[in-house]
């Protein structure tokens, strides 16, 4: 449950941001990040539906490469 | 040196005048998954042993809390929601009874998996006439969003069965014991992102154990390992931060403030381990109206056999504390597999047993713990 997913903010409505990662869109809460001055196009790390920290586009790309590798690793049976 | 490749970090580590044996513990299921999937154990020199420690909140969630959730789902007219991992965690119950939330659902209980606290509030809003109980187990990274949800405001019919835990007290308990079982610590990345890296300073200052916060890439993990090894060799201890892109001094202050606003820190039980001081979260008085433990009867039964313990024959407690590796458990891969898990470490994606099995480390132990795998 500690896995954080990098996502890009596409729109913001109050404390709710519509975020995208790899073509998938999700509503994400910015309630824990309300002091960060987040704007559309910023990248955030999302954990259980909540943005926990802002990151740079480069860091988001690096994290996604890691998750792609993990997903290729299979889920076991 | 940031931006260096895993190969460069490995070469740097191989170039160190390493002691005969160094044990580096991690306390995060995400770290263990990265280590296993990247094959770091076999890539590192044999002197270095990587030990998965207490990094799985599902694994240490008290058996009696899972039992309570099952009983609430079966006996009360409610909707029970929980993170997906929790649905398959087994409790110690007779075969005819529900042994997991998944089995309770098969017996007719309204049990729903969720991926976010936001879904718990949404389900409560969609079902205003019915109590919704959110069984919320997790470490700080998951408990902080639960606090944020409460602080932002939730429907009157949402109740939280909270089983939140802090990570560092388990490490403190190990270090205060006669046999901590490790010489250096890779501190968790996202726990530190939320709570601040300062939580881990006691490791270096009080116990003189090298420590470094790591992210989840092989580069970041190897950088943290390299840092702790350098600290050991140069006899100079400090808490290093090898995940500066996310981990900032003080952590996420707003998240910590919300945690403090909604919850108190309390002594708490860890499954198979026992009570660890100041290691749990409880809803504070301002939020008692949303506390499932107050709203509903307790189904705790002291006469229940092996209540609170791991299932018979299961060594998850030793795995969680880094005392043995997953494949040293007698059940690993034989009676206990992901499709038919006996213990919680084989259920959760963050459990060391599940991670090792998924990573292809499926053979029973053939060598003693040291320098195995």
């Amino acid at each position: 449950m500690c896995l954080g997913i990098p996502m890009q903010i596409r729109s913001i409505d109050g404390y709710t941001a519509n975020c995208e990662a790899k073509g998938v869109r999700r509503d994400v809460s910015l309630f824990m990040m309300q002091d960060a001055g987040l704007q559309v196009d910023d990248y955030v790390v999302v954990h259980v539906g909540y943005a926990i920290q802002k990151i740079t586009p480069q860091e988001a790309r690096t994290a996604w490469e890691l998750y792609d590798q993990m997903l290729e690793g299979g889920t076991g049976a | 040196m940031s931006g260096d490749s895993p190969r460069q970090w490995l070469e740097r580590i191989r170039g160190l005048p390493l002691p005969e044996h160094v044990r580096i513990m991690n306390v995060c299921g995400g770290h263990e998954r990265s280590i296993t999937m990247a094959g770091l154990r076999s890539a590192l020199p044999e002197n270095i042993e990587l030990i998965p420690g207490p990094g799985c909140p599902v694994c240490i969630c008290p058996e009696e809390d899972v039992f309570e959730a099952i009983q609430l789902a079966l006996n009360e007219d409610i909707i029970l929601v929980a993170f997906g991992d929790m649905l398959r965690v087994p409790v110690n119950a007779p075969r005819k009874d529900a042994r997991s939330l998944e089995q309770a659902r098969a017996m007719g209980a309204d049990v729903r998996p969720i991926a976010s606290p936001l879904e718990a509030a949404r389900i409560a809003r969609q079902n205003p006439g019915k109590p919704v109980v959110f069984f919320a187990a997790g470490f700080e990274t998951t408990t902080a969003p639960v606090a944020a949800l409460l602080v932002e405001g939730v429907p009157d019919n949402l109740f939280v069965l909270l089983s939140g835990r802090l990570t560092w007290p388990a490490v403190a308990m190990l270090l205060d014991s006669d046999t901590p079982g490790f010489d250096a610590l890779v501190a968790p990345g996202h726990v530190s992102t939320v709570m601040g890296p300062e939580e881990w300073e006691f490791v270096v200052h009080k116990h003189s154990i090298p420590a470094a916060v790591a992210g989840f890439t092989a580069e970041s993990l190897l950088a943290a390992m390299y840092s702790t090894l350098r600290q050991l060799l140069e006899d100079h201890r400090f808490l290093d931060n090898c995940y500066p892109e996310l981990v900032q001094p003080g952590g996420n202050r707003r998240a910590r403030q919300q945690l403090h606003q909604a919850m108190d820190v309390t002594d708490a039980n860890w499954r198979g381990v026992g009570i660890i001081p100041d290691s749990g979260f409880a809803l504070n008085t301002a939020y008692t109206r949303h506390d499932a433990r107050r709203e509903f009867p307790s189904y705790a039964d002291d006469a229940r056999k092996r209540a609170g313990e791991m299932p018979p024959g299961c060594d998850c407690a030793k795995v969680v504390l880094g005392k043995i590796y997953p494949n040293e458990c007698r059940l690993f891969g034989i009676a206990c597999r992901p499709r038919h898990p006996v213990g919680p470490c084989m259920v959760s994606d963050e459990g060391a047993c599940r991670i090792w099995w998924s990573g292809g480390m499926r053979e029973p132990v053939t060598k003693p713990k040291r320098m195995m795998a």
Side-chain angles (χ1 to χ4, degrees):
Chain A
M1 289 192 277
C2 276
L3 209 59
I5 306 295
M7 301 189 84
Q8 187 175 23
I9 298 174
R10 293 301 189 192
S11 64
I12 298 177
D13 178 13
Y15 292 127
T16 303
N18 191 258
C19 295
E20 181 182 344
K22 303 225 151 193
V24 177
R25 290 216 179 196
R26 290 278 184 276
D27 278 345
V28 168
S29 173
L30 305 181
F31 198 68
M32 289 163 61
M33 293 291 294
Q34 50 191 280
D35 310 312
L38 291 170
Q39 297 181 346
V40 171
D41 292 339
D42 283 345
Y43 286 83
V44 286
V45 169
V46 177
H47 181 73
V48 295
Y50 281 74
I52 61 170
Q53 194 56 273
K54 185 179 174 180
I55 53 168
T56 66
Q58 173 57 40
E59 287 156 3
R61 270 195 298 276
T62 305
W64 266 114
E65 284 168 18
L66 168 72
Y67 295 140
D68 284 345
Q69 289 166 14
M70 279 191 181
L71 290 172
E72 282 169 16
T75 54
Chain B
M1 292 193 282
S2 63
D4 288 356
S5 69
R7 183 179 298 272
Q8 286 169 302
W9 282 112
L10 282 167
E11 282 170 10
R12 217 169 265 140
I13 289 171
R14 289 191 191 111
L16 292 172
L18 293 170
E20 188 188 340
H21 184 210
V22 184
R23 301 162 299 175
I24 306 177
M25 179 176 274
N26 74 75
V27 292
C28 169
H31 281 170
E32 180 55 31
R33 182 163 288 271
S34 287
I35 287 167
T36 300
M37 294 305 171
L40 295 189
R41 280 191 176 80
S42 52
L44 284 162
E46 281 206 340
N47 318 40
I48 299 172
E49 191 181 2
L50 303 182
I51 300 172
C56 169
V58 172
C59 304
I60 57 85
C61 179
E63 190 262 1
E64 56 270 28
D65 284 8
V66 185
F67 181 79
E68 177 74 13
I70 291 170
Q71 296 307 314
L72 287 179
L74 285 172
N75 298 308
E76 304 290 330
D77 187 20
I78 62 159
I79 300 169
L80 191 128
V81 300
F83 292 116
D85 271 9
M86 295 307 301
L87 267 56
R88 298 183 68 218
V89 176
V91 297
N92 307 319
R95 198 170 285 273
K96 64 181 173 42
D97 296 342
R99 285 178 162 177
S100 67
L101 283 165
E102 197 173 55
Q103 289 182 6
R105 182 167 62 174
M107 294 165 95
D110 193 345
V111 175
R112 305 183 191 181
I114 57 172
S116 166
L118 299 167
E119 290 178 52
R122 195 190 70 228
I123 290 169
R125 277 192 293 272
Q126 289 169 345
N127 298 273
K130 203 162 194 181
V132 173
V133 174
F134 174 17
F135 179 30
F139 285 143
E140 298 93 327
T141 38
T142 304
T143 309
V146 176
L149 182 83
L150 288 165
V151 170
E152 190 171 6
V154 293
D156 290 341
N157 60 327
L158 181 66
F159 302 92
V160 180
L161 180 62
L162 185 60
S163 198
R165 294 289 180 273
L166 289 113
T167 322
W168 70 263
V171 175
M173 184 201 71
L174 284 173
L175 287 172
D176 285 333
S177 73
D178 294 333
T179 53
F182 61 101
D183 309 297
L185 180 76
V186 172
H190 287 152
V191 170
S192 301
T193 301
V194 174
M195 305 301 284
E198 297 83 357
E199 272 194 336
W200 300 94
E201 283 182 348
F202 77 96
V203 176
V204 287
H205 292 140
K206 184 178 176 193
H207 299 281
S208 199
I209 296 283
V213 178
F216 298 86
T217 60
E219 293 92 318
S220 183
L221 283 159
L222 288 168
M225 291 171 198
Y226 176 76
S227 171
T228 61
L229 292 167
R230 283 278 302 269
Q231 291 179 49
L232 266 181
L233 292 168
E234 294 170 12
D235 200 20
H236 172 60
R237 311 286 195 261
F238 66 100
L239 177 67
D240 203 354
N241 181 4
C242 299
Y243 197 29
E245 56 269 38
L246 250 75
V247 177
Q248 295 163 9
N252 182 330
R253 290 172 201 274
R254 177 65 75 156
R256 282 173 45 218
Q257 182 192 330
Q258 290 163 354
L259 261 176
H260 184 68
Q261 190 176 332
M263 298 174 191
D264 297 325
V265 172
T266 178
D267 297 351
N269 194 18
W270 292 49
R271 187 173 189 176
V273 176
I275 302 282
I276 301 181
D278 295 331
S279 69
F281 291 103
L283 296 189
N284 69 20
T285 49
Y287 292 89
T288 48
R289 68 184 186 283
H290 292 291
D291 192 343
R293 296 182 196 276
R294 287 174 179 263
E295 182 70 14
F296 298 98
S298 169
Y299 288 87
D301 178 4
D302 292 339
R304 204 158 55 86
K305 278 186 182 172
R306 294 186 59 82
E309 297 299 317
M310 294 293 182
C314 164
D315 278 334
C316 273
K318 289 181 186 166
V319 172
V320 162
L321 292 176
K323 302 298 183 191
I324 65 167
Y325 281 126
N327 57 357
E328 288 181 273
C329 175
R330 285 163 292 165
L331 305 183
F332 181 80
I334 301 166
C336 185
R337 294 184 177 198
R339 281 188 187 161
H340 301 287
V342 175
C345 295
M346 190 60 94
V347 173
S348 172
D349 283 339
E350 292 182 293
C353 297
R354 176 67 175 263
I355 292 167
W356 278 40
W357 185 264
S358 301
M361 293 159 72
R362 299 184 175 187
E363 297 302 315
V365 68
T366 53
K367 283 194 274 181
K369 179 181 175 212
R370 184 181 145 153
M371 287 179 284
M372 185 206 52

